[in-house]
Amino acid sequence: MASGGRAQDRLNRVVRVIAQNMVAEVCSIYLTRAGGILELFATEGLKEEAVHTTRFLPGQGLVGLVAERGLPLNLSEAPQHPRFVYRPETGEEVYHSFLAVPILRMGQVAGVLVVQNVAPRRYSPEEVEVLQTISMVIAELVGSGELVAPDELTEESTATGEPITLDGMPLAGGVGAGVAVFRQPQVKISRTVADDIEAEQSLLEDALTEMRSQLEQMLEHPDLAHGGEHREVLETYRMFAYDRGWQEKMRDAVRSGLTAEAAVDRVQQENRARMFKIRDPYLRERIADFEDLATRLIRIIQGDRENHKIKLTEDSILIARAIGPAELMDYDQGYLKGIVLEDGSTTAHVTIIARAMGIPVLGRVSGLLTHVKPGEQVIVDSTTGHAYVRPAEDVIETYRATVELQEKRLALYAAERDLPAVTLDGEEISLFMNAGLLVDLPSLDSTNADGIGLFRTEFQFMVSPALPKVEEQTKIYAAALDAAGDRPVVFRTLDIGGDKQVPFLPREDEENPAMGWRAIRIALDRPALLRYQLRALLYAAAGRSLHVMFPMIAEVAELKRCKKILQKEVDRLTLHGRTPPKAIKVGCMLEVPSLSWQMDLLLKEVDFLSIGTNDLMQFFFACDRSNPRLADRYDLLAPPVLRFLRSIVQACHQADVPVTLCGEMGGRPVEAMALMALGLRRFSISPTSIGPVKRMVRTVELHKLSNFLEAHLDSSDHSIRDSFISFARDHNIKV
């Protein structure tokens, strides 16, 4: 790269050197042109006539997939991938193995670097790292402007000036409007290869110290002194800044010959690639926290040690791929009216802060950054899951009406906060909330929930480089019990493994992580994990009632083994003279269908049962809920689902065992209405769902609804959703 000559000649030499050193039959470089088109600029191994001829549209083929995701792709049988596109002019049909990494520059995909082999093989993590490092160097060559003119990439391509509607996932409810403001990393890697490794090591250590100092100052800021949710998020965010695994990876990268700033950038790319594969939102969305920290760290390394405050002068909508929680607070809250993200989930730290601040957030908006330009008008409606870009006048009028309606609804929910969740014919419904972070706890009071029906305990384990000590776990559980007071808290034991890896357990690739080595299966194979967690729960509940729930139970024999482990810890508690809980209630999650055929035996072993519909329904339909092609294939209001759930509820009632439904299904008023008709009286749902569900409950005559459902359970229709919606409309039920 350092040799002279035209940029194209240097690119040609690069692909030859890479192919030779990686023993690859093919090495190719595709660069991004106007409109996001990827053009083959150089190759070793493919036909020469394909150079500057072969092009992929945005998202097209494997090359387009890598550019779209901004992540590496490692395949042993590329032609079998559903996104593979055959281009006869390249002659690549004989190559099976495929490894590609994005060429990233200033947070954008500037191209894709590819190596291929004839023999099927899976490239090693070391080879992926090497290719990522090389791609950083290529990015600097692209940045020179000799290969693709910079002004070409600023031409309007997808932003045509016409109104468009983008779909996404509602993360924080509400509507907002303003001009598009882009979140820019505002960092550029100016030096890649280290001249003095010791100097770079020292630079990295100094920058880490300075970054921590900035975070400490942020936590001490008077504006955050009384902001409970904000402060708890930033406390967790600070944990990431002290993460030893993250720091060691950066130090290793410097020792390999990279500059401090390049080391931070490369480790962040690796983190993003690894976490992209994870389905669980609690772990996957932590990547935004690391990206925020990485950006701050690079700024410090480059000599920029100021805390940045982004000034807004008019109502604005923040547009970004992802954003960290602290970075959000850099924006003027008076003018920030909404956030639209390409990534994101309901459990992202930035979502939690935005929700607490009343800022609507729409996430998972595909192609967002190519469809919106800075300064354009954007309306965010996260109640419907839409973002309107360059909206027409009629859309603007509708938006104004929606704002008025939203304000009325929020006022109604607030007015009904202290009213009981009782149907018109006197049936009481218990509404509990789900939680998993300390920042969720203030919602207990703001929603007036009946308690916490599901406290996910795995988050503390997923962010810790080592198994958390019993004392550390105890503090978390005690805080949840303190916040709940006299209300119950149901602690679900660890649901880790599969796609929710933890640093202190060996990783194994699994064909189907959702059905793999996870949750109680890990706990029973590694009983020390479960014993330490149960010990911490018993310590935290000293003198108070403790509700323990075991996840992913597939047969009663597994539950009995768990109860024996719990009893050992109870005996140990007595032996050491510790104060025991006032009472211990044991339950399990019903999320594996096989357990439903042992209901008579199961209900003799538990004090309560929780139906986990998120996993249960994907197993019920053999349908991967994370697969977008199957997202609308099956309906939760299908007759077989309702009949199955009715049989479980009836068995629990006959055995006088309390049954609670946990999961997204119970948080939607129409689905909750159907579940009530089945006999369910206890729901554990997200805090934001409690208001709408309570309002529905208070407008239902349950005996009429139950009779209506009974008449439709034998239907062979795909779904009876429309019938339920019509019933609600005819009977003035607020759904």
Side-chain angles (χ1 to χ4, degrees):
M1 292 294 292
S3 60
R6 296 186 311 121
Q8 180 66 58
D9 293 336
R10 281 181 279 164
L11 210 60
N12 294 338
R13 287 195 291 271
V14 167
V15 293
R16 286 197 296 271
V17 171
I18 295 174
Q20 291 169 4
N21 283 275
M22 293 192 66
V23 195
E25 278 99 8
V26 172
C27 178
S28 306
I29 295 175
Y30 295 81
L31 297 184
T32 305
R33 306 211 67 156
I37 293 172
L38 289 151
E39 179 180 312
L40 180 61
F41 260 69
T43 185
E44 173 70 17
L46 299 184
K47 295 179 180 178
E48 289 187 12
E49 54 266 33
V51 175
H52 298 302
T53 300
T54 296
R55 293 184 174 187
F56 291 98
L57 297 174
Q60 184 182 32
L62 299 179
V63 172
L65 179 62
V66 173
E68 178 184 23
R69 293 179 173 178
L71 298 167
L73 184 62
N74 189 352
L75 302 172
S76 58
E77 283 289 356
Q80 295 181 11
H81 194 283
R83 293 284 284 269
F84 179 80
V85 174
Y86 171 59
R87 289 296 173 79
E89 75 273 11
T90 65
E92 68 173 338
E93 66 274 12
V94 299
Y95 301 106
H96 294 264
S97 306
F98 178 96
L99 171 61
V101 300
I103 300 170
L104 300 173
R105 178 172 172 76
M106 297 183 71
Q108 302 295 320
V109 177
V112 176
L113 173 60
V114 181
V115 294
Q116 295 170 271
N117 283 90
V118 172
R121 56 166 295 204
R122 191 168 182 83
Y123 297 91
S124 69
E126 291 75 16
E127 289 173 308
V128 176
E129 289 183 15
V130 167
L131 218 58
Q132 286 180 306
T133 301
I134 295 171
S135 72
M136 295 172 63
V137 182
I138 296 173
E140 298 309 309
L141 178 59
V142 175
S144 68
E146 297 178 63
L147 293 163
V148 179
D151 58 349
E152 179 180 336
L153 300 181
T154 61
E155 294 176 3
E156 285 192 25
S157 53
T158 54
T160 61
E162 295 296 320
I164 60 170
T165 301
L166 302 177
D167 298 328
M169 174 188 290
L171 302 181
V175 292
V179 297
V181 174
F182 274 61
R183 176 260 188 179
Q184 297 290 351
Q186 300 177 346
V187 292
K188 172 185 174 182
I189 306 303
S190 56
R191 299 181 307 114
T192 304
V193 180
D195 295 323
D196 185 339
I197 290 179
E198 289 188 5
E200 296 298 330
Q201 289 175 326
S202 177
L203 190 59
L204 176 63
E205 297 303 328
D206 290 346
L208 285 167
T209 301
E210 174 63 25
M211 180 188 67
R212 295 183 195 121
S213 175
Q214 288 187 6
L215 292 177
E216 298 297 338
Q217 292 174 21
M218 186 183 299
L219 282 162
E220 294 171 3
H221 196 282
D223 290 346
L224 300 177
H226 305 291
E229 283 200 289
H230 296 64
R231 186 171 182 84
E232 293 287 359
V233 165
L234 290 174
E235 289 281 5
T236 307
Y237 178 75
R238 180 171 62 176
M239 261 193 332
F240 291 104
Y242 286 87
D243 184 86
R244 289 178 296 185
W246 182 53
Q247 296 171 38
E248 279 305 311
K249 286 181 180 178
M250 291 187 292
R251 292 176 182 126
D252 288 343
V254 170
R255 285 191 284 266
S256 73
L258 292 179
T259 61
E261 58 188 288
V264 176
D265 189 53
R266 192 182 83 174
V267 170
Q268 184 51 31
Q269 290 185 37
E270 292 171 357
N271 280 339
R272 184 172 177 80
R274 177 170 57 86
M275 291 190 177
F276 184 84
K277 300 175 183 177
I278 297 171
R279 297 177 188 174
D280 184 87
Y282 273 126
L283 182 57
R284 183 171 176 173
E285 287 308 322
R286 299 295 75 82
I287 191 62
D289 298 342
F290 278 120
E291 286 184 340
D292 190 359
L293 287 169
T295 297
R296 291 174 181 271
L297 193 55
I298 292 172
R299 284 177 181 158
I300 295 169
I301 290 170
Q302 294 177 342
D304 185 355
R305 294 173 177 256
E306 297 296 324
N307 282 315
H308 293 267
K309 191 75 176 177
I310 293 90
K311 292 184 179 179
L312 303 176
T313 58
E314 57 185 321
D315 289 351
S316 303
I317 302 296
L318 180 60
I319 307 294
R321 181 183 299 278
I323 186 171
E327 189 173 4
L328 174 61
M329 301 185 72
D330 288 338
Y331 290 84
D332 187 337
Q333 307 305 317
Y335 287 112
L336 187 58
K337 300 301 180 183
I339 303 170
V340 187
L341 304 172
E342 279 201 350
D343 296 337
S345 86
T346 54
T347 55
H349 279 166
V350 65
T351 303
I352 294 169
I353 286 186
R355 191 184 298 134
M357 299 166 69
I359 300 173
V361 183
L362 187 67
R364 306 287 178 85
V365 181
S366 179
L368 170 68
L369 301 181
T370 60
H371 285 90
V372 186
K373 296 184 66 178
E376 292 183 322
Q377 187 72 22
V378 177
I379 293 176
V380 180
D381 186 349
S382 62
T383 58
T384 62
H386 300 310
Y388 302 94
V389 183
R390 303 176 292 275
E393 188 58 36
D394 60 334
V395 175
I396 296 175
E397 287 299 320
T398 302
Y399 155 73
R400 291 178 182 141
T402 302
V403 170
E404 293 179 6
L405 179 61
Q406 175 184 266
E407 291 174 349
K408 290 179 181 178
R409 282 180 176 172
L410 290 174
L412 283 171
Y413 298 154
E416 295 174 351
R417 173 192 174 279
D418 295 323
L419 297 177
V422 179
T423 66
L424 292 175
D425 45 355
E427 287 282 351
E428 294 185 6
I429 306 297
S430 298
L431 299 179
F432 300 87
M433 59 168 266
N434 297 333
L437 295 166
L438 291 180
V439 293
D440 296 328
L441 300 180
S443 296
L444 268 170
D445 292 327
S446 64
T447 63
N448 198 25
D450 292 316
I452 298 176
L454 170 63
F455 191 94
R456 303 178 180 93
T457 60
E458 54 266 18
F459 178 69
Q460 185 183 13
F461 290 77
M462 292 189 292
V463 300
S464 177
L467 174 64
K469 295 179 180 179
V470 172
E471 294 78 12
E472 296 170 353
Q473 296 182 50
T474 301
K475 290 179 182 178
I476 299 292
Y477 308 146
L481 290 167
D482 290 342
D486 294 332
R487 291 170 287 188
V489 179
V490 178
F491 293 98
R492 185 182 71 184
T493 61
L494 284 176
D495 185 0
I496 56 173
D499 63 341
K500 289 189 283 186
Q501 299 292 334
V502 291
F504 49 84
L505 280 180
R507 298 177 55 115
E508 292 183 8
D509 291 332
E510 295 182 294
E511 289 292 331
N512 193 333
M515 296 186 181
W517 194 59
R518 56 171 283 208
I520 210 63
R521 297 166 183 176
I522 290 180
L524 292 176
D525 287 350
R526 301 286 188 274
L529 275 176
L530 184 57
R531 290 196 65 169
Y532 289 154
Q533 183 176 33
L534 293 173
R535 189 176 302 170
L537 286 167
L538 291 167
Y539 287 171
R544 300 183 279 194
S545 294
L546 174 63
H547 293 72
V548 178
M549 180 165 62
F550 299 104
M552 200 70 180
I553 298 293
E555 59 180 2
V556 171
E558 289 180 331
L559 176 63
K560 294 176 77 171
R561 290 176 62 190
C562 294
K563 291 177 67 176
K564 286 183 179 178
I565 294 174
L566 174 59
Q567 187 58 50
K568 286 182 180 179
E569 286 303 316
V570 173
D571 295 341
R572 182 185 181 278
L573 197 72
T574 305
L575 184 65
H576 287 79
R578 299 289 293 255
T579 304
K582 180 174 64 175
I584 301 175
K585 301 292 185 180
V586 177
C588 78
M589 295 283 287
L590 197 160
E591 48 196 338
V592 181
S594 61
L595 194 58
S596 64
W597 274 270
Q598 286 190 303
M599 288 297 294
D600 55 338
L601 301 174
L602 173 67
L603 295 175
K604 295 175 182 177
E605 298 289 339
V606 296
D607 299 304
F608 63 91
L609 186 71
S610 291
I611 304 174
T613 53
N614 291 356
D615 267 332
L616 181 62
M617 288 300 100
Q618 74 167 341
F619 298 150
F620 184 82
F621 282 119
C623 176
D624 183 356
R625 59 190 169 114
S626 68
N627 188 333
R629 293 185 179 182
L630 302 177
D632 301 320
R633 177 64 61 88
Y634 302 103
D635 197 306
L636 295 181
L637 293 186
V641 171
L642 298 175
R643 293 172 69 174
F644 175 61
L645 294 176
R646 181 182 62 172
S647 69
I648 296 170
V649 173
Q650 288 178 343
C652 290
H653 288 172
Q654 290 171 6
D656 198 25
V657 173
V659 57
T660 303
L661 187 130
C662 301
E664 297 173 6
M665 183 179 183
R668 295 188 285 263
V670 173
E671 280 89 335
M673 184 176 72
L675 293 166
M676 287 166 52
L678 292 176
L680 272 162
R681 298 294 182 267
R682 296 162 61 92
F683 296 83
S684 188
I685 54 184
S686 70
T688 54
S689 298
I690 289 179
V693 171
K694 180 187 284 189
R695 189 152 190 259
M696 177 274 295
V697 168
R698 294 178 56 80
T699 58
V700 166
E701 282 190 85
L702 199 50
H703 70 282
K704 291 182 179 179
L705 179 63
S706 299
N707 293 336
F708 173 80
L709 174 65
E710 193 65 32
H712 287 77
L713 281 179
D714 291 331
S715 170
S716 60
D717 292 343
H718 169 69
S719 171
I720 56 177
R721 179 177 299 276
D722 291 342
S723 299
F724 265 95
I725 293 174
S726 297
F727 181 89
R729 184 174 58 247
D730 294 343
H731 291 78
N732 213 20
I733 300 172
K734 305 300 182 184
V735 296

